[in-house]
Coordinates of all heavy atoms in Angstrom, one line a residue:
Chain A
N86 N -3.2 4.4 -1.5 CA -3.4 4.0 -2.9 C -4.4 4.9 -3.6 O -5.0 4.4 -4.6 CB -3.9 2.6 -3.0 CG -2.8 1.5 -2.6 OD1 -1.5 2.0 -2.7 ND2 -3.1 0.4 -2.3
G87 N -4.7 6.0 -3.2 CA -5.7 6.9 -3.8 C -7.2 6.4 -3.6 O -8.1 6.9 -4.2
E88 N -7.3 5.3 -2.8 CA -8.7 4.7 -2.6 C -9.6 5.7 -1.8 O -9.1 6.3 -0.9 CB -8.5 3.4 -1.9 CG -9.6 2.6 -1.5 CD -10.4 2.0 -2.6 OE1 -9.8 1.4 -3.4 OE2 -11.7 2.3 -2.6
K89 N -10.9 5.6 -2.2 CA -11.7 6.5 -1.5 C -12.7 5.8 -0.5 O -13.2 6.5 0.4 CB -12.7 7.2 -2.6 CG -12.0 8.2 -3.6 CD -11.8 9.5 -2.9 CE -11.0 10.4 -3.8 NZ -9.6 10.1 -4.0
D90 N -12.8 4.6 -0.6 CA -13.7 3.8 0.2 C -12.9 3.5 1.6 O -12.2 2.6 1.6 CB -14.2 2.5 -0.4 CG -15.1 1.7 0.5 OD1 -15.3 2.1 1.6 OD2 -15.6 0.7 0.0
F91 N -13.1 4.4 2.6 CA -12.3 4.1 3.9 C -12.6 3.0 4.6 O -11.8 2.4 5.3 CB -12.4 5.5 4.6 CG -11.4 6.5 4.1 CD1 -11.9 7.4 3.2 CD2 -10.1 6.6 4.6 CE1 -11.0 8.3 2.6 CE2 -9.3 7.6 4.1 CZ -9.7 8.4 3.1
D92 N -13.8 2.5 4.6 CA -14.2 1.3 5.3 C -13.3 0.1 4.7 O -12.8 -0.7 5.4 CB -15.7 0.9 5.1 CG -16.5 1.7 6.2 OD1 -16.0 2.1 7.2 OD2 -17.7 1.7 6.0
K93 N -13.2 0.1 3.4 CA -12.5 -1.0 2.7 C -11.0 -0.8 3.2 O -10.3 -1.8 3.4 CB -12.7 -0.8 1.2 CG -12.2 -2.0 0.4 CD -12.5 -1.8 -1.1 CE -11.4 -2.4 -1.9 NZ -11.4 -1.8 -3.2
I94 N -10.5 0.4 3.1 CA -9.1 0.7 3.4 C -8.8 0.1 4.9 O -7.8 -0.6 5.0 CB -8.7 2.1 3.3 CG1 -8.8 2.6 1.9 CG2 -7.4 2.4 4.0 CD1 -8.9 4.1 1.8
Y95 N -9.6 0.5 5.8 CA -9.4 0.2 7.2 C -9.4 -1.3 7.4 O -8.8 -1.9 8.3 CB -10.3 0.9 8.1 CG -10.1 2.4 8.1 CD1 -11.1 3.4 8.2 CD2 -8.8 3.0 8.1 CE1 -10.9 4.7 8.3 CE2 -8.5 4.3 8.1 CZ -9.5 5.2 8.2 OH -9.3 6.5 8.2
R96 N -10.2 -2.0 6.6 CA -10.3 -3.5 6.8 C -8.9 -4.1 6.2 O -8.7 -5.3 6.4 CB -11.5 -4.1 6.0 CG -12.7 -3.9 6.8 CD -13.9 -4.3 5.9 NE -14.0 -5.7 5.7 CZ -14.6 -6.5 6.5 NH1 -15.1 -6.1 7.7 NH2 -14.7 -7.8 6.3
D97 N -8.2 -3.3 5.6 CA -6.9 -3.8 5.0 C -5.6 -3.4 5.7 O -4.6 -3.5 5.3 CB -6.8 -3.4 3.5 CG -6.0 -4.3 2.7 OD1 -5.7 -5.4 3.1 OD2 -5.6 -3.8 1.5
I98 N -5.9 -2.7 6.9 CA -4.9 -2.3 7.7 C -5.0 -2.8 9.2 O -6.1 -3.0 9.6 CB -5.0 -0.7 7.9 CG1 -4.9 0.0 6.5 CG2 -3.9 -0.1 8.8 CD1 -5.1 1.6 6.6
T99 N -3.9 -3.0 9.8 CA -4.1 -3.5 11.2 C -3.0 -2.9 12.1 O -1.9 -2.4 11.5 CB -4.2 -4.9 11.4 OG1 -4.7 -5.3 12.6 CG2 -2.8 -5.6 11.2
I100 N -3.2 -2.9 13.3 CA -2.2 -2.4 14.3 C -1.9 -3.4 15.4 O -2.8 -4.1 15.9 CB -2.9 -1.1 15.1 CG1 -3.4 -0.1 14.1 CG2 -1.8 -0.5 16.0 CD1 -4.0 1.2 14.7
V101 N -0.7 -3.5 15.8 CA -0.3 -4.2 17.0 C 0.3 -3.2 18.0 O 1.1 -2.5 17.7 CB 0.8 -5.3 16.7 CG1 1.2 -5.9 18.0 CG2 0.3 -6.3 15.7
F102 N -0.4 -3.2 19.2 CA 0.0 -2.2 20.2 C 1.0 -2.9 21.2 O 1.1 -4.1 21.2 CB -1.2 -1.8 21.0 CG -2.2 -1.0 20.3 CD1 -3.4 -1.6 19.8 CD2 -2.0 0.3 20.0 CE1 -4.2 -0.8 19.0 CE2 -2.9 1.1 19.3 CZ -4.0 0.5 18.7
Q103 N 1.6 -2.0 22.0 CA 2.6 -2.4 22.9 C 1.8 -3.3 24.0 O 2.4 -4.3 24.6 CB 3.3 -1.2 23.7 CG 4.3 -1.7 24.6 CD 4.9 -0.4 25.4 OE1 4.7 0.7 24.9 NE2 5.6 -0.7 26.4
Q104 N 0.7 -2.9 24.3 CA -0.2 -3.6 25.3 C -1.4 -4.2 24.5 O -2.5 -3.6 24.6 CB -0.6 -2.8 26.4 CG 0.4 -2.1 27.2 CD 1.1 -2.9 28.2 OE1 0.6 -4.0 28.6 NE2 2.2 -2.5 28.9
P105 N -1.2 -5.3 23.8 CA -2.4 -5.7 22.9 C -3.6 -6.2 23.8 O -3.3 -6.8 24.9 CB -1.8 -6.7 22.0 CG -0.7 -7.3 22.8 CD -0.2 -6.3 23.7
Y106 N -4.7 -6.0 23.2 CA -5.9 -6.4 23.8 C -6.2 -7.8 23.3 O -6.3 -8.0 22.1 CB -7.1 -5.6 23.6 CG -8.4 -6.1 24.3 CD1 -8.8 -5.6 25.5 CD2 -9.2 -7.1 23.7 CE1 -9.9 -6.1 26.2 CE2 -10.3 -7.6 24.3 CZ -10.7 -7.0 25.5 OH -11.8 -7.6 26.1
L107 N -6.0 -8.9 24.1 CA -6.4 -10.2 23.6 C -7.7 -10.6 24.1 O -8.1 -10.3 25.2 CB -5.3 -11.2 24.1 CG -3.8 -11.0 23.7 CD1 -3.0 -12.0 24.2 CD2 -3.8 -10.9 22.2
L108 N -8.5 -11.3 23.2 CA -9.8 -11.7 23.5 C -9.9 -12.7 24.6 O -8.9 -13.5 24.9 CB -10.5 -12.3 22.2 CG -10.3 -11.5 21.0 CD1 -11.1 -12.2 19.8 CD2 -11.0 -10.2 21.2
V109 N -11.0 -12.6 25.3 CA -11.2 -13.6 26.5 C -11.4 -15.0 25.9 O -12.7 -15.4 25.9 CB -12.3 -13.1 27.4 CG1 -12.4 -13.9 28.7 CG2 -12.1 -11.6 27.8
S110 N -10.4 -15.6 25.5 CA -10.5 -16.9 24.8 C -9.3 -17.5 24.7 O -8.3 -16.9 25.2 CB -11.2 -16.7 23.5 OG -11.6 -18.0 22.9
N111 N -9.2 -18.6 23.9 CA -7.8 -19.3 23.8 C -7.0 -18.6 22.7 O -7.5 -17.7 21.9 CB -7.9 -20.8 23.8 CG -8.7 -21.2 22.5 OD1 -8.7 -20.5 21.5 ND2 -9.3 -22.4 22.5
V112 N -5.8 -19.0 22.6 CA -4.8 -18.5 21.6 C -5.4 -18.7 20.2 O -5.4 -17.8 19.3 CB -3.4 -19.0 21.8 CG1 -2.6 -18.7 20.6 CG2 -2.8 -18.4 23.0
Y113 N -5.8 -19.9 20.0 CA -6.4 -20.3 18.6 C -7.4 -19.2 18.1 O -7.4 -18.7 17.1 CB -6.8 -21.6 18.6 CG -7.4 -22.1 17.2 CD1 -6.5 -22.8 16.3 CD2 -8.7 -21.9 16.9 CE1 -7.1 -23.1 15.1 CE2 -9.2 -22.2 15.6 CZ -8.4 -22.9 14.7 OH -8.9 -23.1 13.5
N114 N -8.4 -19.1 19.0 CA -9.6 -18.2 18.7 C -9.1 -16.8 18.5 O -9.7 -16.0 17.7 CB -10.7 -18.3 19.8 CG -11.4 -19.6 19.7 OD1 -11.5 -20.3 18.7 ND2 -11.9 -20.1 20.9
N115 N -8.1 -16.4 19.3 CA -7.6 -15.0 19.0 C -7.0 -14.8 17.7 O -7.4 -13.9 16.9 CB -6.5 -14.7 20.0 CG -7.1 -14.0 21.3 OD1 -7.2 -12.8 21.3 ND2 -7.4 -14.7 22.3
I116 N -6.3 -15.8 17.2 CA -5.6 -15.6 15.9 C -6.6 -15.9 14.8 O -6.5 -15.3 13.7 CB -4.4 -16.7 15.8 CG1 -3.4 -16.4 16.9 CG2 -3.8 -16.5 14.4 CD1 -2.3 -17.4 17.0
A117 N -7.7 -16.6 15.1 CA -8.7 -16.9 14.1 C -9.7 -15.8 13.8 O -10.3 -15.7 12.7 CB -9.4 -18.2 14.4
Y118 N -9.7 -14.8 14.8 CA -10.8 -13.9 14.8 C -11.0 -13.1 13.5 O -12.0 -13.0 12.9 CB -10.7 -13.0 16.0 CG -11.9 -12.0 16.1 CD1 -13.1 -12.4 16.4 CD2 -11.6 -10.7 15.7 CE1 -14.2 -11.5 16.5 CE2 -12.7 -9.8 15.7 CZ -13.9 -10.2 16.1 OH -15.0 -9.3 16.2
P119 N -9.8 -12.5 13.0 CA -9.9 -11.7 11.8 C -10.4 -12.5 10.6 O -11.1 -12.0 9.7 CB -8.5 -11.3 11.4 CG -7.8 -11.4 12.8 CD -8.4 -12.6 13.5
L120 N -10.2 -13.8 10.6 CA -10.6 -14.7 9.4 C -12.1 -15.0 9.6 O -12.9 -15.1 8.7 CB -9.8 -16.0 9.4 CG -8.4 -15.9 9.2 CD1 -7.7 -17.2 9.1 CD2 -8.1 -15.0 7.8
K121 N -12.6 -15.1 10.9 CA -14.0 -15.4 11.3 C -14.8 -14.2 10.8 O -15.8 -14.4 10.2 CB -14.2 -15.7 12.7 CG -13.8 -17.1 13.1 CD -14.0 -17.3 14.6 CE -13.5 -18.6 15.0 NZ -13.1 -18.6 16.4
V122 N -14.4 -13.0 11.1 CA -15.2 -11.9 10.7 C -15.2 -11.6 9.3 O -16.1 -11.0 8.7 CB -14.7 -10.5 11.4 CG1 -14.8 -10.6 12.9 CG2 -13.4 -10.1 11.0
R123 N -14.3 -12.2 8.5 CA -14.2 -12.2 7.1 C -14.9 -13.4 6.4 O -14.8 -13.6 5.3 CB -12.8 -12.0 6.6 CG -12.2 -10.7 6.8 CD -10.8 -10.6 6.5 NE -10.3 -9.2 6.7 CZ -10.0 -8.7 7.8 NH1 -10.2 -9.3 8.9 NH2 -9.5 -7.4 7.9
K124 N -15.6 -14.2 7.4 CA -16.4 -15.3 7.0 C -15.6 -16.4 6.0 O -16.0 -17.0 5.1 CB -17.5 -14.8 6.0 CG -18.4 -13.7 6.7 CD -19.7 -14.2 7.2 CE -20.3 -13.5 8.3 NZ -20.4 -12.1 8.3
Y125 N -14.4 -16.6 6.6 CA -13.6 -17.7 5.8 C -14.2 -19.1 6.2 O -14.8 -19.1 7.3 CB -12.2 -17.7 6.3 CG -11.2 -16.8 5.6 CD1 -11.5 -15.3 5.6 CD2 -10.1 -17.2 4.9 CE1 -10.6 -14.5 4.9 CE2 -9.3 -16.4 4.1 CZ -9.5 -15.0 4.3 OH -8.6 -14.2 3.5
K126 N -14.0 -20.1 5.4 CA -14.4 -21.4 5.7 C -13.7 -21.9 6.9 O -12.5 -21.7 7.1 CB -14.3 -22.3 4.5 CG -15.4 -22.2 3.5 CD -15.4 -23.4 2.6 CE -14.2 -23.9 2.2 NZ -14.0 -24.1 0.7
N127 N -14.3 -22.8 7.8 CA -13.6 -23.3 9.0 C -12.4 -24.0 8.7 O -11.4 -23.9 9.4 CB -14.6 -24.1 9.8 CG -15.3 -23.4 10.9 OD1 -14.8 -22.3 11.3 ND2 -16.4 -23.9 11.3
S128 N -12.4 -24.8 7.5 CA -11.2 -25.6 7.1 C -10.1 -24.7 6.8 O -8.9 -24.9 7.2 CB -11.6 -26.6 6.0 OG -12.1 -25.9 5.0
D129 N -10.4 -23.6 6.0 CA -9.3 -22.6 5.8 C -8.8 -22.0 7.0 O -7.6 -21.7 7.1 CB -9.9 -21.5 4.9 CG -10.2 -22.0 3.4 OD1 -9.7 -23.1 3.0 OD2 -10.9 -21.3 2.6
I130 N -9.7 -21.6 7.9 CA -9.2 -20.9 9.1 C -8.2 -21.8 9.8 O -7.1 -21.4 10.2 CB -10.4 -20.6 10.0 CG1 -11.3 -19.5 9.3 CG2 -10.0 -20.1 11.4 CD1 -12.5 -19.2 10.2
K131 N -8.6 -23.1 9.9 CA -7.8 -24.1 10.7 C -6.4 -24.2 10.1 O -5.4 -24.1 10.8 CB -8.5 -25.5 10.6 CG -8.3 -26.3 11.9 CD -9.2 -27.5 11.8 CE -9.0 -28.4 13.0 NZ -9.9 -29.5 12.9
N132 N -6.4 -24.3 8.8 CA -5.1 -24.4 8.1 C -4.2 -23.2 8.3 O -3.1 -23.4 8.6 CB -5.4 -24.6 6.5 CG -5.6 -26.0 6.2 OD1 -5.3 -26.9 6.9 ND2 -6.4 -26.2 5.1
R133 N -4.8 -22.1 8.1 CA -4.0 -20.8 8.2 C -3.4 -20.6 9.6 O -2.3 -20.3 9.8 CB -4.9 -19.7 7.9 CG -5.1 -19.5 6.3 CD -5.6 -18.1 6.2 NE -5.8 -17.7 4.8 CZ -5.5 -16.6 4.3 NH1 -4.9 -15.6 5.1 NH2 -5.7 -16.3 3.1
V134 N -4.4 -20.8 10.6 CA -4.0 -20.5 11.9 C -2.9 -21.6 12.4 O -1.9 -21.1 13.0 CB -5.2 -20.5 12.9 CG1 -4.8 -20.4 14.3 CG2 -6.3 -19.5 12.6
N135 N -3.1 -22.7 12.1 CA -2.0 -23.8 12.4 C -0.8 -23.5 11.7 O 0.3 -23.6 12.4 CB -2.6 -25.2 12.1 CG -3.6 -25.6 13.0 OD1 -3.7 -25.2 14.2 ND2 -4.6 -26.5 12.6
T136 N -0.8 -23.1 10.5 CA 0.5 -22.8 9.8 C 1.2 -21.6 10.4 O 2.3 -21.7 10.8 CB 0.1 -22.4 8.4 OG1 -0.6 -23.5 7.8 CG2 1.4 -22.2 7.6
I137 N 0.4 -20.6 10.8 CA 1.1 -19.4 11.4 C 1.6 -19.7 12.8 O 2.7 -19.3 13.3 CB 0.2 -18.2 11.3 CG1 1.0 -16.8 11.2 CG2 -0.6 -18.1 12.4 CD1 0.3 -15.7 10.8
M138 N 0.9 -20.5 13.5 CA 1.4 -20.8 15.0 C 2.6 -21.7 14.8 O 3.5 -21.4 15.7 CB 0.2 -21.5 15.7 CG -0.9 -20.6 16.1 SD -2.0 -21.3 17.4 CE -2.5 -22.8 16.5
K139 N 2.6 -22.6 13.9 CA 3.9 -23.4 13.7 C 5.1 -22.5 13.3 O 6.1 -22.6 13.9 CB 3.7 -24.4 12.6 CG 2.9 -25.7 13.1 CD 3.5 -27.0 12.5 CE 2.6 -28.1 12.8 NZ 1.2 -28.1 12.2
D140 N 4.8 -21.7 12.3 CA 5.9 -20.7 11.8 C 6.5 -19.9 12.9 O 7.7 -19.7 13.1 CB 5.3 -19.8 10.7 CG 5.2 -20.4 9.4 OD1 5.5 -21.6 9.3 OD2 4.6 -19.8 8.5
M141 N 5.6 -19.6 13.9 CA 6.1 -18.7 14.9 C 6.5 -19.4 16.2 O 6.8 -18.8 17.3 CB 5.1 -17.5 15.3 CG 4.9 -16.5 14.1 SD 3.7 -15.3 14.6 CE 4.7 -14.3 15.7
G142 N 6.4 -20.8 16.1 CA 6.7 -21.5 17.3 C 5.7 -21.4 18.4 O 6.2 -21.4 19.6
I143 N 4.5 -21.1 18.2 CA 3.6 -20.9 19.3 C 2.4 -21.9 19.2 O 1.4 -21.8 19.9 CB 3.0 -19.4 19.4 CG1 2.4 -19.0 18.0 CG2 4.1 -18.5 19.8 CD1 1.7 -17.7 18.0
D144 N 2.6 -23.0 18.4 CA 1.5 -23.9 18.3 C 1.2 -24.6 19.5 O 0.0 -25.1 19.8 CB 1.8 -24.9 17.2 CG 3.3 -25.4 17.1 OD1 4.1 -24.7 17.7 OD2 3.6 -26.5 16.6
Y145 N 2.2 -24.8 20.5 CA 1.9 -25.5 21.7 C 1.0 -24.6 22.6 O 0.5 -25.1 23.6 CB 3.2 -25.8 22.5 CG 3.9 -24.5 23.0 CD1 3.8 -24.0 24.3 CD2 4.7 -23.7 22.1 CE1 4.4 -22.9 24.7 CE2 5.4 -22.6 22.5 CZ 5.3 -22.2 23.9 OH 5.9 -21.1 24.3
L146 N 0.7 -23.4 22.3 CA -0.1 -22.5 23.1 C -1.5 -22.5 22.6 O -2.4 -21.8 23.2 CB 0.4 -21.0 23.0 CG 1.8 -20.8 23.6 CD1 2.2 -19.4 23.3 CD2 1.7 -20.9 25.1
A147 N -1.9 -23.2 21.5 CA -3.2 -23.1 20.9 C -4.4 -23.0 21.8 O -5.2 -22.3 21.7 CB -3.3 -24.2 19.9

Side-chain angles (χ1 to χ4, degrees):
Chain A
N86 286 343
E88 175 69 54
K89 292 281 177 291
D90 179 352
F91 279 87
D92 276 343
K93 191 175 146 205
I94 292 164
Y95 292 141
R96 282 170 73 84
D97 203 17
I98 300 175
T99 196
I100 309 181
V101 177
F102 293 102
Q103 185 182 346
Q104 308 275 351
Y106 181 96
L107 296 181
L108 307 181
V109 186
S110 189
N111 62 27
V112 165
Y113 179 93
N114 287 331
N115 265 274
I116 301 175
Y118 183 74
L120 301 179
K121 281 183 190 157
V122 299
R123 286 171 177 78
K124 310 254 158 45
Y125 276 61
K126 280 203 311 240
N127 266 336
S128 53
D129 287 349
I130 295 180
K131 214 169 174 177
N132 277 336
R133 281 196 181 222
V134 175
N135 286 334
T136 305
I137 207 163
M138 285 194 302
K139 276 213 190 74
D140 283 353
M141 294 183 70
I143 51 173
D144 40 337
Y145 67 99
L146 294 172

